[in-house]
């Protein structure tokens, strides 16, 4: 569904008075998301995870330099055409919601973007919220009146209302307690089971492992490996890269080993 | 000994919570969102005064002025520092950590001239932890200090902290949603739910001794 081949992203910045240099941030990353699967991209902060999402959605800052190829369903990816229609973002924080507009109204906007005629938008919004256990009371609230878990579900309702084939979820479990985190990831899993492709970006390996099919490990802008989620077990013998093994062994439920030379 | 007796707060959020934390003891505090874990931590560190009940350090109330021997480490280090101060000044707010202490917490000299927003969350978290390690420190309340870190950074942070705490005989109350992490810390685990605290220490597989028993209210 989505194929990235040797994607590199750098940032142009001035070097001295006249020259400009490009600071590399993502280096030659190749990965694909298939229909019906959850692909998790895992890495420490600064590894370039969010840049991947921004590139797929065409939301990179103006000074970014992009190289390599992005293809979506066999054709070159044009984010501006597909964003919000075929590709949807589940953003990281409620800061992406309009603070002055009630939640239900914002879901209706999404229905409008999805191409529904005005008369059908409100019923569609109500149905989308109901899919994520949000009723009329929640839909009347402003974003700051929603709990973190409810806001996340409202954003899931917005992202899934249209017929987007690919969902990109940026740190969907940040700030959620384990029950709410599992619920949100369960929703994403169900969407993949219904045939969509889901790209989850997270630093929380243990939270995403139960629902992911494959896990791509990013470090300092380079892809270390893409492994099936089932490879994360035992002492990580099935993992190819030493960094993926170190990440796995550092989890409290695995070994809680810190890195030998910790660059964190 | 840090003792809380019969704490009531925020109209029934906490109703009759009592606990004892001993020097050198590491205790985990778990419980669902909104159960009052952070509020309990703020009461223990003197950031809040309980509506009813007492918090005492070796039998005396917490000092009202100066450095508090019970320090709270918050989840977001960004909100616990003055954004207009450089890291070097932040670090020396309560004491002057030497180069050896900075090395032990992996704080690079180059950071000292930076502002807080120029460090990553994990880097700033280490600065805030070392800042709290003044000579007068006795107990640490660590509120979800590693929730936003990747597994390697999380393990590194806790190993550093536990080494340091063992050296100085400090007591730690570690608040976290992560049950596996609390088990790894090796001490007792308390559970706060429905305004009350109970001992929920997992049966140690290795026969490692759990912490002191919880006082019953």
């Amino acid at each position: 569904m989505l194929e990235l081949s040797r994607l590199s992203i750098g940032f142009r910045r001035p070097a001295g008075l006249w020259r400009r240099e490009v600071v590399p941030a993502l280096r030659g990353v190749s990965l694909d998301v298939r229909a019906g699967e959850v692909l998790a991209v895992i890495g420490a902060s600064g590894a370039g995870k969010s840049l991947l999402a921004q590139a797929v959605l065409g939301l990179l800052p103006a000074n970014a330099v992009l190289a390599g190829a992005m293809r979506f369903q066999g054709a070159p990816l044009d984010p501006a055409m597909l964003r919000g229609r075929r590709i949807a973002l589940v953003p990281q924080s409620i800061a992406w919601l309009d603070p002055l507009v009630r939640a239900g109204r914002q879901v209706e906007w999404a229905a409008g973007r999805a191409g529904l005629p005005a008369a059908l938008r409100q019923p569609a919004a109500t149905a989308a919220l109901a899919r994520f256990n949000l009723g009329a009371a929640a839909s009347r609230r402003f974003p700051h009146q929603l709990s973190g878990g409810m806001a996340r579900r409202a954003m899931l309702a917005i992202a899934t209302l249209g017929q987007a084939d690919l969902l990109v979820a940026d740190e969907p479990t940040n700030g959620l307690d384990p029950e709410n985190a599992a619920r949100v990831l369960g929703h994403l899993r169900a969407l993949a089971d219904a045939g969509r492709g889901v790209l989850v970006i997270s630093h929380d390996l243990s939270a995403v492992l139960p629902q992911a099919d494959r896990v791509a490990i990013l470090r300092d802008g380079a892809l270390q490996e893409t492994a099936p989620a089932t490879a994360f077990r035992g002492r990580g013998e099935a993992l190819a890269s030493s960094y993926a093994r170190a990440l796995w062994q550092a989890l409290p439920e695995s070994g809680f080993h810190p890195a030998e030379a910790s660059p964190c | 000994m840090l003792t809380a007796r019969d704490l009531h707060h925020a109209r029934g959020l906490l109703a009759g919570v009592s606990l004892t934390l001993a020097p050198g003891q590491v205790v985990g505090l778990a419980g669902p969102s909104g159960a009052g874990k952070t509020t309990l931590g703020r009461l223990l560190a003197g950031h809040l005064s309980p509506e009813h009940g007492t918090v005492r350090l070796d039998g005396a109330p917490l000092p009202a002025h100066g450095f508090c021997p019970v320090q709270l480490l918050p989840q977001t280090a960004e909100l616990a520092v003055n954004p207009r101060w450089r890291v070097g000044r932040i670090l020396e707010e309560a004491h002057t950590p030497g180069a050896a202490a900075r090395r032990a917490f992996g704080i690079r000299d180059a950071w000292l001239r930076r502002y807080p927003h120029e460090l990553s969350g994990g880097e700033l978290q280490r600065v805030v932890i070392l800042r709290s390690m003044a000579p007068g420190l006795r107990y640490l309340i660590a509120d979800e200090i590693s929730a936003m870190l990747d597994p390697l950074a999380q393990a590194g942070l806790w190993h550093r902290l536990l080494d340091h705490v063992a050296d100085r005989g400090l007591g730690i109350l570690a608040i976290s949603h992560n049950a596996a992490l609390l088990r790894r810390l090796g001490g007792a685990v308390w559970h706060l739910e429905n305004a009350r605290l109970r001992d929920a220490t997992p049966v140690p597989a290795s026969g490692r001794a759990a912490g002191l028993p919880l006082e019953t209210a």
Side-chain angles (χ1 to χ4, degrees):
Chain A
M1 174 175 287
L2 175 73
E3 288 164 65
L4 308 179
S5 45
R6 295 205 299 279
L7 183 70
S8 295
I9 298 172
F11 290 100
R12 252 191 315 267
R13 71 171 186 201
L17 266 184
W18 311 111
R19 284 186 322 111
R20 289 179 153 221
E21 61 179 3
V22 174
V23 184
L26 208 60
R27 292 189 298 257
V29 172
S30 298
L31 51 83
D32 64 315
V33 184
R34 303 163 195 165
E37 83 162 349
V38 175
L39 175 76
V41 176
I42 298 284
S45 61
K49 309 184 292 287
S50 295
L51 285 179
L52 262 184
Q54 291 169 15
V56 170
L57 290 154
L59 298 173
L60 286 169
N63 65 334
V65 187
L66 209 134
M70 298 192 286
R71 297 178 72 80
F72 183 69
Q73 294 179 332
L77 173 66
D78 179 357
M81 284 302 295
L82 302 173
R83 181 171 72 217
R85 299 184 180 89
R86 311 287 297 282
I87 302 178
L89 173 72
V90 185
Q92 185 173 147
S93 79
I94 63 163
W96 289 67
L97 294 174
D98 188 328
L100 300 177
V101 179
R102 295 177 197 277
R105 187 93 185 90
Q106 303 199 41
V107 183
E108 288 174 34
W109 289 350
R113 282 195 297 273
L116 288 182
L120 294 179
R121 285 174 198 168
Q122 204 196 349
T126 307
L129 284 165
R131 267 200 296 282
F132 296 99
N133 292 324
L134 294 171
S139 113
R140 274 195 303 273
R141 293 197 194 168
F142 290 100
H144 72 272
Q145 296 169 317
L146 300 171
S147 78
M150 291 165 85
R152 206 66 56 106
R153 281 182 278 151
M155 294 190 294
L156 272 167
I158 289 172
T160 56
L161 197 148
Q163 295 301 309
D165 304 301
L166 177 69
L167 286 168
V168 179
D170 192 4
E171 295 281 6
T173 62
N174 249 12
L176 297 186
D177 60 279
E179 296 83 49
N180 274 310
R183 209 169 290 156
V184 166
L185 287 168
H187 284 308
L188 292 171
R189 175 76 255 171
L191 291 163
D193 290 342
R196 307 194 192 196
V198 177
L199 178 65
V200 173
I201 288 167
S202 178
H203 71 281
D204 193 348
L205 179 59
S206 58
V208 302
L209 270 181
Q211 304 292 6
D213 295 296
R214 294 185 299 143
V215 179
I217 305 277
L218 266 187
R219 182 192 198 185
D220 296 337
L223 187 69
Q224 300 292 305
E225 72 173 290
T226 305
T230 50
F232 292 85
R233 65 185 145 78
R235 303 188 54 209
E237 299 88 347
L239 294 165
S241 68
S242 58
Y243 182 69
R245 260 197 306 281
L247 266 187
W248 165 241
Q249 291 177 0
L251 280 183
E253 45 274 70
S254 156
F256 206 40
H257 296 301
E260 292 77 42
S262 167
C264 60
Chain B
M1 205 75 91
L2 179 66
T3 42
R5 201 165 292 280
D6 196 26
L7 294 181
H8 291 251
H9 200 73
R11 290 188 219 94
L13 179 64
L14 302 176
V17 169
S18 298
L19 60 88
T20 301
L21 196 60
Q25 193 186 8
V26 178
V27 176
L29 176 61
S33 298
K37 301 188 295 296
T38 295
T39 301
L40 179 58
R42 290 169 60 88
L43 287 168
L44 291 174
H47 288 212
L48 293 173
S49 304
E51 286 162 6
H52 176 88
T54 54
V55 175
R56 285 177 185 271
L57 180 67
D58 298 331
L62 297 174
H65 302 287
F67 182 78
C68 181
V70 184
Q71 284 287 312
L72 180 72
L73 301 174
Q75 180 169 1
T76 36
E78 287 84 350
L79 301 181
V81 297
N82 186 331
R84 293 167 185 269
W85 285 14
R86 290 180 196 270
V87 168
R89 186 172 170 200
I90 290 168
L91 206 50
E92 297 189 352
E93 201 172 339
H95 66 130
T96 312
R102 292 204 304 268
R103 254 198 313 281
F105 280 89
I107 293 169
R108 296 186 199 144
D109 291 342
W111 300 356
L112 301 179
R113 293 190 45 74
R114 296 196 199 164
Y115 286 97
H117 70 267
E118 295 172 321
L119 295 186
S120 78
E123 290 167 349
L124 195 59
Q125 189 66 272
R126 281 181 280 167
V127 170
V128 169
I129 290 173
L130 182 56
R131 175 180 67 174
S132 73
M133 295 283 173
L137 177 70
R138 305 278 305 284
Y139 295 92
L140 271 179
I141 314 293
D143 189 1
E144 291 280 14
I145 56 169
S146 59
M148 74 306 217
L149 302 181
D150 66 276
L152 276 168
Q154 167 170 273
L157 178 71
W158 275 108
H159 281 275
R160 279 191 182 107
L161 191 56
L162 291 177
D163 284 349
H164 197 83
V165 157
D167 287 347
R168 289 179 55 180
L170 304 174
I172 289 198
L173 184 69
I175 301 173
S176 177
H177 281 300
N178 188 335
L181 172 66
L182 295 185
R183 269 199 305 280
R184 278 286 168 188
L185 300 184
V189 177
W190 298 340
H191 193 89
L192 183 64
E193 192 162 9
N194 300 327
R196 294 192 170 265
L197 197 61
R198 65 183 167 81
D199 197 333
T201 309
V203 180
S206 59
R208 185 165 185 173
L212 294 180
L214 195 66
E215 263 188 42
T216 44

